[in-house]
Amino acid sequence: MSDTPFGFGLPPEEPENGDEGKKKDPAGGGQGSGGNPFGANPFGFGGLPGMGGPGGADNPFAAMFGSLNPNDLGAAFQQLGQMLSYEGGPVNWDMAKQIARQVVAQGTADGTKDASVGPAEKSAVEEAVRLADLWLDQVTSLPSGANTAVAWSRAEWVEATLPAWQQLVDPVAERVGTAMGDVLPEEMQAMAGPLIGMMRSMGGAMFGQQIGQAVGALAGEVVGSTDVGLPLGPAGRAALLPLNIEAFGKDLGVPSDEVRLYLALREAAHQRLFAHVPWLRAHLFGAVEGYARGIKVDTSKLEEAVGQLDPTHPEQLQEALQQGMFQPEDTPEQKAALARLETALALVEGWVDAVVHEAAKSRLTSADALRETLRRRRASGGPAEQTFATLIGLELRPRRLRDAARLWASLTDARGVDGRDGLWEHPDMLPTATDLDDPDGFVHREHLDFSELDKMLGEAAKGESPEDGDGEK
């Protein structure tokens, strides 16, 4: 995946002459490196005679027709047309899906190609999720949240999760799109309507391309629908990716059945939490959006790029954007939003970690090793963190996963399964970041009993009062 926040790179579709593409990219981006198959220029014209390359001709269009074969030329203008004709929201999601599917079709770095899921793999996933739910019934009071269990290919994961990506990314993309229209001097904006519209279209295309690359790369590594700690797939559908599970367990020295079952436990535990804690999804997505609202777009880079933009070198805009534009505002509100998000992610991942370990420790010989592998994968900031850091300047890393897991385990010992899981009834009942610093204090703290207050409110709603009741006695 590209590390640049708004790379234009469009992955090639199985080129017949891969070496030819590298020769056309003097910057060394090359095909297969995540760069643009047409070179550094996002429109496909970079490095051509007359377009900044050596030995430029007076007529750039003659140079283009003389240097490109019809297929390359058609693809270049098709890409340019898609950029400038887009009139939708802040992200061109049609382009994002197209590119993500192309990235998936290319395969992963180890040469593994995507493939349709066969009947045997579907059956194995369904059985693993069914058994996982039986085990989880004994360690949590939350009932099963998976109405169905599905085995997805990488392409199916892309299709199923794009609506969630849209909800997560659009708020930041909207800010960037607005910024791209605001970089022109105020006195010029009234006269530059078409230019502003073109820039916003380009912004939507840039986001669409980068998101497509990121999601496509992520599809090659995720093992289910909840790897990032957020519910990316449809509600009630526990999903695993057999091809990626095989790659995940390849060098662990653990039987494949155990790997599949342990990952099924994690997927099923996430599904229970998101299905039976109705406010949780909105809480998590709202925390991401709250943080995104505090991200400041560095318009100075945009102003400089627009001010110096040479029509024959449109790649200059991309080069400016590649240096990064996101700067979290150093305000109390932004710090609070980040703390809220990090704590929420840690509590979700910590609860899943704790209940899965309780369910697996006496049944799977490799439970401890698999637990530690997954913990390190999440804490080291794997593909999920890199994706979000690239797209919106945000790391979805549960930094305090171990602290949260210890707290949930201590709550189980002190209050039992029902007492632990009862804290999910309302967000105000959950541990805070401060509580993660002092888990024993939280575990043994006396919590207010709201049962009498609820009873009084219920009686009041029925037109009765406690005094009337006492008077009758």
Side-chain angles (χ1 to χ4, degrees):
M1 184 182 74
S2 170
D3 291 331
T4 60
F6 298 100
F8 277 98
L10 179 64
E13 289 190 84
E14 300 299 330
E16 295 180 357
N17 52 345
D19 292 337
E20 186 72 14
K22 296 179 181 178
K23 295 175 183 177
K24 292 177 183 176
D25 185 357
Q31 297 182 10
S33 65
N36 185 359
F38 304 117
N41 186 332
F43 303 121
F45 305 147
L48 295 174
M51 302 295 286
D58 292 334
N59 186 341
F61 292 98
M64 287 185 338
F65 283 100
S67 301
L68 290 178
N69 64 48
N71 291 334
D72 287 340
L73 183 63
F77 276 108
Q78 181 182 16
Q79 185 180 9
L80 177 59
Q82 287 178 331
M83 285 184 175
L84 301 183
S85 64
Y86 177 69
E87 297 180 352
V91 177
N92 188 331
W93 287 102
D94 290 337
M95 180 176 287
K97 181 168 72 170
Q98 173 190 351
I99 292 176
R101 292 293 297 265
Q102 290 174 344
V103 172
V104 165
Q106 285 183 311
T108 50
D110 62 1
T112 305
K113 296 282 188 178
D114 193 23
S116 299
V117 180
E121 292 172 317
K122 291 180 180 179
S123 178
V125 166
E126 291 170 356
E127 177 60 22
V129 173
R130 185 194 66 79
L131 185 56
D133 261 335
L134 288 177
W135 290 2
L136 290 172
D137 283 340
Q138 301 172 37
V139 296
T140 174
S141 61
L142 300 180
S144 174
N147 300 324
T148 58
V150 294
W152 282 341
S153 66
R154 293 166 179 171
E156 288 172 325
W157 183 90
V158 168
E159 295 279 352
T161 62
L162 273 179
W165 290 113
Q166 182 171 356
Q167 185 177 351
L168 288 165
V169 175
D170 270 352
V172 176
E174 182 67 46
R175 293 178 63 83
V176 176
T178 301
M180 291 187 74
D182 292 342
V183 297
L184 292 174
E186 185 174 347
E187 61 274 12
M188 292 181 58
Q189 291 192 19
M191 299 181 294
L195 177 59
I196 292 175
M198 182 185 74
M199 292 179 65
R200 288 180 174 166
S201 295
M202 289 172 59
M206 286 189 288
F207 254 114
Q209 291 204 28
Q210 184 62 24
I211 291 169
Q213 290 179 358
V215 172
L218 194 58
E221 300 187 41
V222 294
V223 295
S225 70
T226 54
D227 286 41
V228 302
L230 298 172
L232 295 179
R237 189 172 299 176
L240 295 176
L241 282 72
L243 184 61
N244 292 354
I245 291 176
E246 181 182 354
F248 170 79
K250 184 177 180 180
D251 299 321
L252 296 181
V254 177
S256 59
D257 290 347
E258 285 200 21
V259 174
R260 185 190 307 111
L261 185 49
Y262 192 87
L263 296 175
L265 281 166
R266 289 184 54 83
E267 177 75 8
H270 276 103
Q271 293 296 335
R272 288 181 182 231
L273 204 53
F274 292 124
H276 300 292
V277 182
W279 54 266
L280 182 57
R281 178 186 175 92
H283 181 75
L284 287 169
F285 279 71
V288 173
E289 185 174 352
Y291 180 83
R293 282 196 301 267
I295 290 178
K296 181 171 57 178
V297 178
D298 186 358
T299 56
S300 64
K301 288 189 174 68
L302 282 173
E303 291 173 356
E304 182 179 358
V306 172
Q308 300 179 1
L309 184 60
D310 182 345
T312 63
H313 294 284
E315 72 273 9
Q316 291 174 354
L317 178 60
Q318 181 192 5
E319 292 170 358
L321 297 178
Q322 286 175 353
Q323 299 173 19
M325 293 190 305
F326 296 122
Q327 297 177 349
E329 292 184 352
D330 188 19
T331 64
E333 293 79 11
Q334 181 69 348
K335 292 177 181 178
L338 180 59
R340 175 172 170 248
L341 176 59
E342 289 184 340
T343 301
L345 287 171
L347 291 175
V348 168
E349 293 294 280
W351 183 88
V352 168
D353 180 276
V355 299
V356 167
H357 180 68
E358 187 65 24
K361 65 182 182 181
S362 63
R363 297 182 173 97
L364 298 179
T365 57
S366 303
D368 290 337
L370 289 168
R371 183 190 202 188
E372 186 60 26
T373 299
L374 267 297
R375 279 182 166 187
R376 291 181 179 180
R377 189 175 194 239
R378 288 295 281 124
S380 63
E385 177 199 344
Q386 295 169 15
T387 298
F388 272 81
T390 298
L391 295 178
I392 60 175
L394 173 62
E395 296 179 352
L396 278 182
R397 183 191 301 182
R399 301 176 188 275
R400 309 198 64 182
L401 186 155
R402 294 176 188 269
D403 294 336
R406 281 194 294 269
L407 187 147
W408 289 118
S410 297
L411 281 169
T412 307
D413 294 337
R415 304 184 187 181
V417 168
D418 291 342
R420 177 200 66 200
D421 294 347
L423 294 177
W424 289 106
E425 291 179 3
H426 193 277
D428 291 343
M429 298 174 65
L430 288 177
T432 64
T434 303
D435 294 324
L436 293 180
D437 295 328
D438 181 23
D440 290 337
F442 178 85
V443 169
H444 299 293
R445 185 186 309 155
E446 290 294 330
H447 287 268
L448 294 175
D449 184 358
F450 292 98
S451 59
E452 287 301 319
L453 178 59
D454 290 340
K455 181 179 178 182
M456 292 173 61
L457 291 174
E459 291 172 345
K462 296 177 183 178
E464 302 174 355
S465 69
E467 291 78 11
D468 293 339
D470 292 341
E472 291 178 359
K473 291 180 181 178

